[in-house]
Every structure is written in structure tokens, then in C-alpha cells.
Amino acid sequence: MSELKGIGESEPTSAVAPGAVSDETSKGASNAASKAASKAASGPVPGAVDVRALTALAETHHARAVRPLGTREIAGHLVKVYAIEAPGRVVAEREEASALRVAGPHLELGRARGSLGLAVLILHAGGDGDYVLVQTWVEASMSDLAVFLGPAGRPDELRPGRVGLAPCVWEAAVLAHERDAYVRNVLDGTGPMGERLAAWGADVTAGHLR
């Protein structure tokens, strides 16, 4: 097509299909969204955001040691056990034994909640108390979570946590690994299920997690 225009011819226009967005429109919308996001970030903080508490948490945030304690059979379940330790705290045999005692009765009722027989047990010697989490893999690719808590260093006083209590940032880091280990080795694994479960049991996380 010739680039020369005859007298009276109008400037060429880009053909845009109905409902389509041109590059210019898309870029404009993107820039507008970016400016809006920037303005919101630098503008007034919504009332429900506790800036003082968040700042205090950020200033004191630190890594915590995570150790795998092996895979056990508890109440007919294969249970992968972890210890999380706050600075100055240690999960000793006494704490481990108490956590296993707490987990037993809970896992005995697993079938009633659709348990598939695999669980993760976390013993967390925290800065403000002791916590025991039991996550069980259940039907329909879901999980079941129970949280127990008690005063620091007094494992015999562990009791069920309040409804709605969920993992802290360090516990969630372990459970994030366990989600991937479960998918990687059991759901997406190959070979007989016994081999998949052995691979799942060996797939652990350790070190200092933030």
C-alpha cells in the first residue's frame, strides 16, 4: 500500500476489533493502575492496620532452628515429626514424649475426619510458650489441623488452642515444605505407594527458617 495520501484522504487509523484493547489503552491502564497502587501505598493506612504492632514484629523478627525428628507410627498413622526452637529454647526428650502423647488421642479419631493416614507433628518451643501442631492429610486433597499450647517448659500442661488459631510464620514455613513434599512424593510420585511413602518420609526441611 502506498504511503502517499491523496487530497482529502484522512489519516489512517488502527483497526481494533470490538471489545479488544489497543496497546496504547493497555499501557495507559497499566500506568494508571501503577500510579493508583503507589498512591495507595503512600497514602493513609486503613484503620485496621496496626502499624505499631507490625513495626515491632518486624524489628524483632529472627530465624528459628528447625530439626526433623524422624517418622513415627502413631495411632496407625505415619507421622513426620519436627522440632522448632526459639533462641534459648530446646526441644528435649520430655517435650517430645508429651507431644506424642497429645497427638495419639487426636490421631485415633482421624478416620472420622477423613484421614488418609499421613500426618506432620510440629513441636515448637516458642518464646512465649510451647506449641504442638498436628496436620493430617485428609480426603479430597485437604488437610486437618489441630493446635495445642501450654506454658513454656511445662509440656504436661498442653491443652487444645482456641478455635481459629493457625500456624505462626515459622510453623507455616515447615508446613509449606510439607505441602510440597506430599505433592512431590505421594500425589505426583511414581512406583508402589510404599516407595512413595518412604520418599515422603525422607523429604524434610532443616536449618534456620525465618
Side-chain angles (χ1 to χ4, degrees):
M1 179 183 295
S2 172
E3 295 181 358
L4 299 176
K5 300 188 297 293
I7 297 176
E9 288 183 282
S10 60
E11 291 287 335
T13 58
S14 299
V16 179
V21 179
S22 69
D23 288 343
E24 290 75 11
T25 303
S26 178
K27 290 177 182 177
S30 177
N31 290 336
S34 178
K35 291 179 180 178
S38 177
K39 183 178 179 180
S42 61
V45 176
V49 178
D50 192 333
V51 174
R52 181 177 299 178
L54 288 172
T55 301
L57 283 173
E59 291 174 346
T60 59
H61 185 61
H62 57 274
R64 292 196 174 180
V66 175
R67 296 186 290 120
L69 301 179
T71 301
R72 319 290 179 80
E73 184 175 336
I74 307 173
H77 287 65
L78 282 178
V79 184
K80 198 187 296 187
V81 185
Y82 285 95
I84 301 178
E85 297 162 336
R89 298 292 314 281
V90 176
V91 173
E93 291 184 5
R94 181 186 175 209
E95 286 77 22
E96 185 176 349
S98 293
L100 296 177
R101 284 197 298 271
V102 166
H106 174 75
L107 291 173
E108 286 176 357
L109 299 175
R111 290 293 183 188
R113 298 191 307 277
S115 171
L116 298 174
L118 301 181
V120 178
L121 173 63
I122 298 176
L123 297 65
H124 187 179
D128 59 350
D130 291 339
Y131 300 85
V132 172
L133 283 72
V134 185
Q135 179 185 283
T136 312
W137 293 109
V138 299
E139 58 194 2
S141 297
M142 297 188 294
S143 64
D144 176 89
L145 179 68
V147 180
F148 303 86
L149 53 87
R154 289 151 64 181
D156 293 335
E157 298 183 31
L158 287 167
R159 298 291 184 271
R162 63 172 175 78
V163 174
L165 189 63
C168 71
V169 292
W170 298 284
E171 296 156 356
V174 174
L175 293 178
H177 168 85
E178 283 303 314
R179 179 267 175 199
D180 291 344
Y182 176 64
V183 171
R184 179 167 48 243
N185 297 292
V186 180
L187 302 185
D188 290 342
T190 59
M193 186 53 66
E195 294 180 2
R196 300 189 197 188
L197 296 180
W200 168 78
D203 190 342
V204 296
T205 186
H208 287 77
L209 303 182
R210 295 187 66 82

